[in-house]
Amino acid sequence: QIMFFVISALSATSVGSSVLVAQSVGARDLARASRLAKQSLVWSVIISIPLLLVGLFAADPIISIFGMEPEPSKVGADYLRVTMGTLSVLTLMLLGGGVLRGIGDSRTPMLITLLANVVNVFFAYGFIFGEFGLPELGAVGSAWGTFISRAVGFAILFWVMWRGVKGVSIRGADGWWPDWNVARQILRIGLPAATEQMLNSVAFLTMSIAVAQLGTLALAAHRVALNAMQISFLPGLGFALAATAMVGQSTGARRPDEAKAVTTIATQWALVWMGVLAVVFLFFAEKIIAIFTPDPTVVALGGAGLRAIALTQPFWAIGMVQSGGLRGTGNTQYPLRVGTTGIWAAVLLGAAASYLTGGQYGLIPIWAAFLITAPITSFLTWRKFRTTIDGDIKALV
């Protein structure tokens, strides 16, 4: 949970690099894009240092918060020390991937991540069980496998960026000294996105706490429904990233009509993919839950919750991609305010409805609350993107 929280924040921070590089590429200022790529790598290391120190020196008190027995607490602390120690490599990978997406290359980060996962599986298994001639380290061996996989991933990513992509390269000695002005630009865009991700993570954690009041079986059903929801989010997130990169390039090139067109197309594709998943959830909800557990109560509770999630898919698709388009213009404040407010409102509404009805409707009130907030936030985000493109961007042309 701690690492998911940290990774979501770092991933969102890479949005700043992606947007600035995309706008530079759109303006055909490849020298600035190359300098931004170098500065992104430099500042990724600087950002990771305090997190690394927290992991090394505060692992024991952090793990003690969860109130576990001494033996698993020791395992958790050892694991946290190693994984937090890899944050410098992780941030380099995340921000480097953001740079490549800003250039318009999302395939290379995907292939590097795929290879890193294969390496992770091999070394994690080897270190945990002492296979393949590797020492047996137990659970902490998984952390060392993650460290090696991230190091391999970054080495390949660095080589790709050194060689250059579409005229953008980190080759050369100039531009490596930390530039606070560049860092301020990256953080101005990236920090709101990071804050949005962290607040949303806390919101869903709060949601799980509310569901826990309904009992263990309801919580189990909720966790399965969350897994399905995370899968359904992937197409929306993918097309949102595409919109961010392409709108960034269109903004840099002062082509507002193109920015509007690519966001419309990305939204349409997100609607298709997430719409298909919505149909699957509606008609096969219980069968999906039954993959995880044979318990009939969990299947019934989870199936009802999954159908509520299905009905919200189209609104989430629109909201995600339109937010991605806004980020491409450099506006990450509005998605933070509207998106986070919508999610927290749904969580609180759902918890209140569940409490007032005595929990007799299971997960339905918890998840159905998003049917109230998602249409509103999606419309507001869509309208804001249109006014930004038609107003602020056109004024620059």
Side-chain angles (χ1 to χ4, degrees):
Q1 291 297 317
I2 293 168
M3 289 307 300
F4 282 147
F5 186 80
V6 171
I7 289 172
S8 66
L10 293 175
S11 298
T13 304
S14 71
V15 171
S17 301
S18 181
V19 170
L20 290 174
V21 169
Q23 292 180 354
S24 298
V25 170
R28 301 189 182 281
D29 190 349
L30 300 184
R32 182 172 184 266
S34 298
R35 186 166 177 273
L36 284 166
K38 293 178 181 180
Q39 286 293 309
S40 295
L41 297 181
V42 169
W43 283 100
S44 68
V45 175
I46 295 173
I47 291 170
S48 69
I49 290 175
L51 294 172
L52 186 152
L53 294 175
V54 168
L56 290 178
F57 296 106
D60 288 302
I62 290 174
I63 294 298
S64 68
I65 294 171
F66 294 90
M68 297 184 294
E69 297 294 325
E71 186 174 349
S73 291
K74 182 181 183 306
V75 172
D78 290 342
Y79 185 96
L80 190 61
R81 285 189 192 93
V82 176
T83 51
M84 292 292 277
T86 69
L87 281 179
S88 58
V89 181
L90 175 62
T91 52
L92 285 165
M93 277 194 68
L94 292 174
L95 269 77
V99 168
L100 289 181
R101 283 191 292 272
I103 297 170
D105 179 9
S106 60
R107 184 185 300 272
T108 299
M110 178 194 71
L111 294 175
I112 291 174
T113 302
L114 175 63
L115 176 61
N117 278 313
V118 173
V119 172
N120 191 9
V121 170
F122 175 82
F123 280 101
Y125 183 84
F127 280 127
I128 290 171
F129 299 108
E131 300 288 344
F132 316 125
L134 299 172
E136 183 178 348
L137 302 178
V140 75
S142 174
W144 284 109
T146 300
F147 170 73
I148 293 173
S149 69
R150 288 173 179 168
V152 170
F154 171 68
I156 299 171
L157 186 66
F158 188 87
W159 175 75
V160 170
M161 295 176 69
W162 183 270
R163 189 186 61 179
V165 178
K166 298 182 180 180
V168 178
S169 170
I170 60 172
R171 191 184 297 115
D174 295 336
W176 288 103
W177 186 257
D179 186 333
W180 175 244
N181 289 327
V182 174
R184 188 164 53 241
Q185 294 175 53
I186 293 173
L187 294 176
R188 178 180 58 82
I189 298 174
L191 278 181
T195 303
E196 179 184 359
Q197 290 297 317
M198 289 187 289
L199 289 175
N200 290 347
S201 296
V202 175
F204 280 108
L205 177 60
T206 304
M207 188 180 184
S208 295
I209 293 172
V211 172
Q213 311 308 308
L214 302 177
T216 303
L217 295 180
L219 182 59
H222 175 70
R223 294 305 305 177
V224 174
L226 270 178
N227 287 338
M229 184 200 72
Q230 289 169 348
I231 293 172
S232 73
F233 270 11
L234 294 179
L237 292 173
F239 286 107
L241 286 171
T244 298
M246 298 186 73
V247 169
Q249 292 183 11
S250 300
T251 300
R254 303 293 190 263
R255 293 197 294 264
D257 291 337
E258 182 180 289
K260 187 186 296 185
V262 298
T263 305
T264 299
I265 293 170
T267 302
Q268 291 169 347
W269 277 103
L271 278 168
V272 169
W273 280 86
M274 294 180 73
V276 169
L277 288 170
V279 173
V280 172
F281 288 171
L282 276 173
F283 289 98
F284 301 101
E286 284 79 12
K287 287 183 171 58
I288 293 171
I289 302 297
I291 295 172
F292 293 83
T293 175
D295 188 291
T297 304
V298 175
V299 170
L301 288 168
L306 204 52
R307 286 195 173 89
I309 292 174
L311 296 173
T312 320
Q313 295 293 310
F315 304 110
W316 279 335
I318 295 170
M320 285 180 177
V321 179
Q322 297 295 316
S323 292
L326 264 180
R327 294 186 189 102
T329 68
N331 184 349
T332 52
Q333 291 282 348
Y334 194 84
L336 164 64
R337 294 195 300 269
V338 172
T340 302
T341 300
I343 288 179
W344 273 98
V347 169
L348 296 176
L349 279 173
S354 179
Y355 176 77
L356 292 174
T357 57
Q360 61 178 318
Y361 298 108
L363 299 180
I364 294 176
I366 299 285
W367 283 105
F370 285 97
L371 280 170
I372 300 173
T373 62
I376 298 171
T377 57
S378 297
F379 171 74
L380 291 174
T381 308
W382 172 84
R383 188 179 66 178
K384 180 64 175 178
F385 177 73
R386 286 299 187 273
T387 56
T388 299
I389 293 298
D390 293 336
D392 297 346
I393 305 303
K394 281 191 174 179
L396 297 173
V397 178

